[in-house]
Amino acid sequence: MPEDKKSYGQSPALSRGIEAVTSWLENLGGTPRALTSLELRAYPDRRIQSGWRLEVAFPDRTRAIDILIDYDFPRTPPRIAVVDRPPFLAWPHIEKDGVLCVLPEGAEVDPHAPEEVVRHVLKLSVELIEESLAGLNLEDFREEFLSYWNRSLTENAPKLRSLLKVDPTSRVVKVWRGRDFYLIADSESDAKIWLERSYRSSKNNGRRFEDALFFWIERPLLPEEYPKSGANLRRIIGERAPDGLRMLESLVASQPDQVVVVLGARTKNGPCLAGIVVRAPQMSGPGRPKNPLSRGFRPDRVPKSLVASRYLGSGPVTRASVERADAAWIHGRDQDIRFPRLRASRVAILGCGSVGAAVAVKLAEAGVGSLLLVDPETLSQANVGRHPLGAGSVGSYKAIALAKRITSDFPHINDVNASVEKCESLLAREPEKLASQDLIVSAMGSWSAEGRLNDWHVAHGRPFPIVYGWTEAHASAGHAVLVTNEGGCFGCGVGPFGNPLLRVTDWPEGTTQRNEPACGAVFQPYGPVELSHIVALIAELSIDSLLDPGRAATHRIWAARSQRLVSIGGTWTRDWLCVCGERSEGGFVFERTWMPDDRCLVCRAEAA
């Protein structure tokens, strides 16, 4: 048994696991032994409870291997460490303390067969070491470049945050040096907008933006190639991005106090970025300090090539991490094929109440590039419980406060505009604002307003799609209707008094509304959880429409679980049960075609 066992903190499962592994190791042969307390201290940050050391023969020599288990074993996998190992980053998949990475993060194991788990992990570890000895897995350093680069960072290196468009074009870019991080962007304008939105401040006057460099080097560097000095960096750029060497030498010729360089390369899992900061050589000498860059020359007469060789000399460089904050990374980690179309899309949200505002946030999260938010109302305290905006926005116009919230949360978004006009006024005064959109989402919940919108849409030939969304009583059902230039208009599914022709729920006990202690103040007591299904329904149909402009007119319906409906006094309508095939259990989305109706007064008037 391991000699540092703490029985007072050892569960029965851990005790059984230790006994099983000890017995298996003894039958394995060789001379495995329990680790001493001193040996366990070599792994201070891993909560190691105990372990064993054994000798394993490899092609080059016999190496000591440690099997380590923590206090949650056997419900967590063992860790394997190489005691006799080469310097850090000589082999891939090995931490600084010698622990091997052979299982994915969060890997599940069978707690009832601890010896089998140890055998499997040990087998994988031996195979990894043999591959490393033979040099068969060096490409793993490139494919998982960021993992290894970020383990080689210079102490106290600045954190770089990137808005760069990651493409194979070496170029001069801009950097803002903040207290907590440096911001790298393709232009000063991009950086300013991002900072203004992130900090909700337009005070850019005190911010200084400097030239920086982005170099594309095709293949990620191996650890042995990571630049240690300015001369190393100059050689790497000369060999891998020769067009960029002139840019680098030109920038250091102006003798800035530091130069920020970002290297970009592609792996099979997408592009990666690495940051390097080169600081100017320090002045030295008693009395008047001497500038080592101009030594032997007048300050303004030093040849550029000499400045470059002195600036990019033997002095150490700072290796820094780069955290991407550009839109392509935020929305899909560069691997969502839908992103370019969504990024280029323009969507107007009419009605920024609890439904429309939540849909707007979902579309921004999905990567939609431009939003127009339209709502004439202000936020009240009563709205806060199921609205994305909190108490800090009470008294503010919903559209304006929501626009500020979205641009602050997603500073990379193209633009978010707000209008506090009614939809009817906007259609009468500036219809081009809506006509220029790729999609309109109407969540106004007013037949009067949506009827006018439908009239206008039909009168202009329905040149773009509109998604209409609404809830039924207590958010027990929700509807999302996509109206296109084919199929029914919105009026084809709505009666003359604004009532949908298909209702999902019925309420035998009468009205579904409650009264506040004020004249005419009514409400329905449901919360954001019930509403979330309907928000997702409307947002998903909106995304589908943007990605497939030729999609037919569609009606999607969310029906809540029957248990909830019954508990609040509702029932399914006969019409709904006929449409959905008697699926009375609820809790599903149903889709059908939104059909034209010969009785529709809007369509008949347009045809005449």
Side-chain angles (χ1 to χ4, degrees):
M1 297 284 288
E3 65 180 49
D4 70 335
K5 171 184 172 182
K6 302 180 178 64
S7 58
Y8 61 86
Q10 190 166 294
S11 69
L14 177 58
S15 298
R16 288 193 297 269
I18 290 174
E19 290 173 3
V21 174
T22 300
S23 176
W24 176 76
L25 288 172
E26 289 173 351
N27 293 330
L28 189 65
T31 56
R33 63 170 179 80
L35 293 175
T36 65
S37 298
L38 181 61
E39 289 167 336
L40 289 173
R41 292 194 193 107
Y43 311 100
D45 301 321
R46 296 188 180 274
R47 295 184 64 247
I48 301 301
Q49 195 273 347
S50 56
W52 301 264
R53 179 165 296 176
L54 62 157
E55 303 291 325
V56 179
F58 288 97
D60 63 334
R61 61 187 174 91
T62 297
R63 296 177 184 270
I65 302 294
D66 285 351
I67 302 172
L68 309 169
I69 60 173
D70 62 22
Y71 285 89
D72 296 319
F73 184 80
R75 296 193 177 277
T76 54
R79 306 303 298 268
I80 306 299
V82 186
V83 180
D84 305 319
R85 60 185 182 271
F88 181 52
L89 295 180
W91 290 352
H93 309 296
I94 183 170
E95 305 284 353
K96 278 188 175 180
D97 58 2
V99 172
L100 299 173
C101 301
V102 295
L103 294 179
E105 193 71 27
E108 300 287 344
V109 295
D110 183 357
H112 303 294
E115 68 276 19
E116 285 300 310
V117 173
V118 170
R119 183 193 64 79
H120 177 67
V121 175
L122 186 59
K123 177 177 178 292
L124 294 177
S125 300
V126 170
E127 291 172 352
L128 175 60
I129 295 170
E130 289 175 344
E131 288 178 356
S132 299
L133 287 169
L136 299 178
N137 54 11
L138 282 178
E139 282 302 306
D140 292 357
F141 279 125
R142 300 190 199 275
E143 298 305 331
E144 301 174 26
F145 172 78
L146 291 181
S147 295
Y148 299 106
W149 176 267
N150 290 338
R151 286 170 170 76
S152 75
L153 303 182
T154 306
E155 188 176 358
N156 298 321
K159 296 178 180 178
L160 308 186
R161 194 168 293 175
S162 169
L163 303 179
L164 296 172
K165 181 180 180 182
V166 182
D167 59 29
T169 307
S170 296
R171 58 195 184 271
V172 177
V173 295
K174 289 293 182 179
V175 60
W176 169 74
R177 289 194 254 163
R179 182 184 60 187
D180 299 321
F181 63 90
Y182 290 7
L183 183 66
I184 315 289
D186 279 304
S187 68
E188 185 172 322
S189 173
D190 288 349
K192 282 183 176 180
I193 290 172
W194 193 93
L195 290 166
E196 287 173 7
R197 290 172 172 176
S198 296
Y199 294 104
R200 296 192 180 187
S201 170
S202 59
K203 296 179 180 179
N204 267 311
N205 294 337
R207 293 180 178 137
R208 180 183 171 194
F209 300 88
E210 305 165 357
D211 284 343
L213 296 168
F214 173 74
F215 294 123
W216 187 260
I217 59 174
E218 289 299 337
R219 300 184 72 200
L221 302 172
L222 295 173
E224 63 188 32
E225 299 170 320
Y226 294 171
K228 298 178 178 62
S229 67
N232 289 158
L233 177 62
R234 189 181 188 192
R235 177 182 52 77
I236 290 169
I237 301 305
E239 293 174 352
R240 298 168 180 252
D243 293 341
L245 188 57
R246 177 180 52 81
M247 290 187 283
L248 178 61
E249 292 179 344
S250 176
L251 183 54
V252 301
S254 62
Q255 302 185 26
D257 66 320
Q258 66 177 241
V259 171
V260 177
V261 174
V262 176
L263 301 180
R266 183 167 296 282
T267 74
K268 69 177 182 181
N269 297 317
C272 56
L273 301 179
I276 301 161
V277 179
V278 187
R279 291 183 170 82
Q282 297 297 306
M283 294 185 180
S284 60
R288 295 178 60 186
K290 296 180 180 179
N291 185 347
L293 295 176
S294 59
R295 186 178 63 251
F297 294 85
R298 293 179 181 177
D300 58 347
R301 297 297 181 90
V302 188
K304 288 186 177 181
S305 60
L306 183 59
V307 172
S309 64
R310 290 177 172 178
Y311 199 110
L312 302 169
S314 59
V317 298
T318 297
R319 293 197 290 266
S321 64
V322 179
E323 181 182 18
R324 289 184 60 180
D326 58 290
W329 182 256
I330 297 295
H331 303 289
R333 313 286 178 94
D334 250 342
Q335 298 184 50
D336 190 339
I337 60 175
R338 305 171 301 171
F339 170 71
R341 182 181 286 275
L342 293 176
R343 175 73 167 172
S345 297
R346 297 160 298 172
V347 178
I349 310 289
L350 308 182
C352 295
S354 57
V355 174
V359 170
V361 172
K362 288 298 180 188
L363 295 183
E365 289 175 342
V368 170
S370 299
L371 296 173
L372 170 62
L373 309 177
V374 181
D375 194 303
E377 297 182 353
T378 58
L379 190 75
S380 69
Q381 291 286 357
N383 300 143
V384 171
R386 58 190 187 202
H387 199 283
L389 296 173
S393 297
V394 168
S396 302
Y397 282 107
K398 294 177 183 177
I400 293 175
L402 185 62
K404 290 179 179 178
R405 150 85 186 273
I406 290 174
T407 53
S408 176
D409 289 349
F410 307 97
H412 55 273
I413 198 168
N414 289 340
D415 58 80
V416 182
N417 294 300
S419 172
V420 296
E421 287 188 89
K422 290 185 176 181
C423 172
E424 305 94 303
S425 301
L426 194 60
L427 285 174
R429 195 173 64 83
E430 293 183 283
E432 64 278 1
K433 276 191 174 182
L434 296 181
S436 64
Q437 303 297 312
D438 297 305
L439 173 71
I440 291 175
V441 178
S442 177
M444 294 183 286
S446 163
W447 169 239
S448 173
E450 291 183 324
R452 292 191 187 188
L453 176 64
N454 184 56
D455 290 345
W456 173 79
H457 194 215
V458 172
H460 288 82
R462 295 189 261 174
F464 51 81
I466 297 180
V467 170
Y468 295 86
W470 70 94
T471 68
E472 293 196 19
H474 299 287
S476 56
H479 299 257
V481 172
L482 170 64
V483 175
T484 63
N485 58 5
E486 295 183 5
C489 78
F490 185 58
C492 290
V494 180
F497 298 101
N499 298 317
L501 297 181
L502 174 63
R503 285 187 301 108
V504 175
T505 61
D506 204 358
W507 303 88
E509 296 183 5
T511 181
T512 61
Q513 295 181 330
R514 307 284 179 84
N515 292 300
E516 293 182 18
C519 181
V522 296
F523 70 101
Q524 290 186 354
Y526 62 85
V529 176
E530 299 91 330
L531 199 61
S532 63
H533 300 287
I534 302 168
V535 169
L537 181 84
I538 299 168
E540 184 179 36
L541 186 55
S542 300
I543 294 293
D544 290 347
S545 172
L546 291 170
L547 297 175
D548 181 11
R551 176 178 288 272
T554 303
H555 183 194
R556 288 183 186 166
I557 304 165
W558 158 256
R561 293 177 298 105
S562 60
Q563 296 97 317
R564 177 173 180 270
L565 181 66
V566 171
S567 71
I568 54 180
T571 62
W572 304 121
T573 65
R574 185 175 300 276
D575 287 345
W576 167 242
L577 291 176
C578 289
V579 167
C580 73
E582 301 289 335
R583 294 178 61 185
S584 60
E585 78 280 3
F588 62 88
V589 173
F590 181 85
E591 179 171 323
R592 65 177 189 158
T593 302
W594 185 257
M595 299 296 293
D597 189 331
D598 293 339
R599 298 167 295 176
C600 176
L601 298 178
V602 179
C603 292
R604 288 167 60 182
E606 185 61 24

